[in-house]
């Protein structure tokens, strides 16, 4: 292994462990209470009534990403 | 009954794994996989808090977030395919055409 890769790995590990430590300290010991079970029709109503505009826009986003992915991954795509 | 703290801690562990991978790996596909781990940890937090709060908006948001992650993965992998055709490598430390 080259030294620069090892240095990257060590720095990344230190950052990840520091994040996990701060995160765990801020979360442990808090009492959040009991879960409330959501009925499935509630979620269905939220998707198809409250967020119907976001749902439709999402379909356009998926179509655009499909077309973009096919265009980029074509032969000679992205280079000309 | 599993307390909410365990979900949050699992999400934090997943986030730390993803951060480590994004910062340390050089292979483009591995970095994309680690980005997916990051997004999944955020989704886990959204769903856990939604379930404990009794509000279904978080679960709907997680569903939309999964769809956006799918779009992002498709674009990312196609960029890597185009890059591999041009440069014959997907080692992101060797690809510095957008760096100054």
């Amino acid at each position: 292994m080259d030294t620069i890769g090892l240095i990257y790995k060590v720095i990344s590990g230190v950052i990840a462990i520091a994040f996990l430590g701060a995160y765990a300290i801020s979360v442990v010991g808090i009492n959040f209470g009991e879960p409330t079970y959501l009925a499935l029709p509630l979620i269905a109503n939220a998707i198809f009534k409250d967020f119907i505009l976001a749902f439709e826009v999402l379909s356009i986003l998926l179509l655009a990403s499909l077309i973009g992915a096919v265009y980029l991954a074509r032969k000679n795509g992205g280079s000309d | 009954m599993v307390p909410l703290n365990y979900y949050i801690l699992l999400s934090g562990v997943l986030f730390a794994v993803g951060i480590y991978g994004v910062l340390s790996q050089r292979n483009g596909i591995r970095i994309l996989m680690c980005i997916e781990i990051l997004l999944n940890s955020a989704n886990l937090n959204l769903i856990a808090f939604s379930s404990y709060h009794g509000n279904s908006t978080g679960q709907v948001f997680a569903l939309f977030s999964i769809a956006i992650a799918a779009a992002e993965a498709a674009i990312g992998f196609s960029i890597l395919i185009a890059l591999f055709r041009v440069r014959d490598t997907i080692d992101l430390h060797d690809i510095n055409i957008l760096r100054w």
Side-chain angles (χ1 to χ4, degrees):
Chain A
M1 173 177 298
D2 51 345
T3 49
I4 189 79
L6 192 61
I7 291 172
Y8 274 130
K9 280 191 171 53
V10 168
I11 293 175
S12 314
V14 168
I15 289 175
I17 289 175
F19 164 77
L20 186 57
Y23 190 84
I25 286 171
S26 66
V27 162
V28 163
I30 303 175
N31 186 16
F32 288 102
E34 288 294 305
T36 59
Y37 286 103
L38 291 168
L40 199 54
L42 217 61
I43 299 171
N45 273 331
I47 293 177
F48 294 113
K49 204 179 282 174
D50 298 340
F51 295 100
I52 185 66
L53 180 63
F55 189 76
E56 299 292 339
V57 170
L58 197 58
S59 74
I60 296 173
L61 171 78
L62 284 174
L63 179 66
S65 81
L66 173 69
I67 295 172
V70 170
Y71 174 75
L72 279 176
R74 253 182 349 170
K75 218 159 177 57
N76 294 329
S79 65
D80 52 3
Chain B
M1 191 57 60
V2 183
L4 181 55
N5 304 56
Y6 292 161
Y7 291 106
I8 301 172
L9 281 179
L10 174 62
S11 156
V13 170
L14 283 178
F15 200 88
V17 170
I19 283 284
Y20 172 76
V22 165
L23 291 179
S24 72
Q25 297 299 318
R26 310 176 64 163
N27 193 331
I29 292 177
R30 284 189 183 173
I31 291 179
L32 276 178
M33 286 163 66
C34 289
I35 290 173
E36 295 297 319
I37 294 178
L38 291 176
L39 288 167
N40 277 329
S41 77
N43 286 338
L44 187 63
N45 252 351
L46 279 174
I47 293 173
F49 274 109
S50 158
S51 170
Y52 269 73
H53 196 256
N55 191 347
S56 64
T57 305
Q59 306 198 20
V60 177
F61 198 88
L63 205 59
F64 289 166
S65 164
I66 290 171
I68 292 174
E72 174 258 332
I75 292 295
F77 281 120
S78 63
I79 287 175
L80 286 182
I81 288 174
L83 210 51
F84 186 77
R85 286 221 174 98
V86 176
R87 303 286 294 265
D88 272 336
T89 178
I90 50 171
D91 190 337
L92 295 189
H93 285 222
D94 293 342
I95 295 164
N96 50 10
I97 49 177
L98 287 181
R99 250 181 237 164
W100 57 280

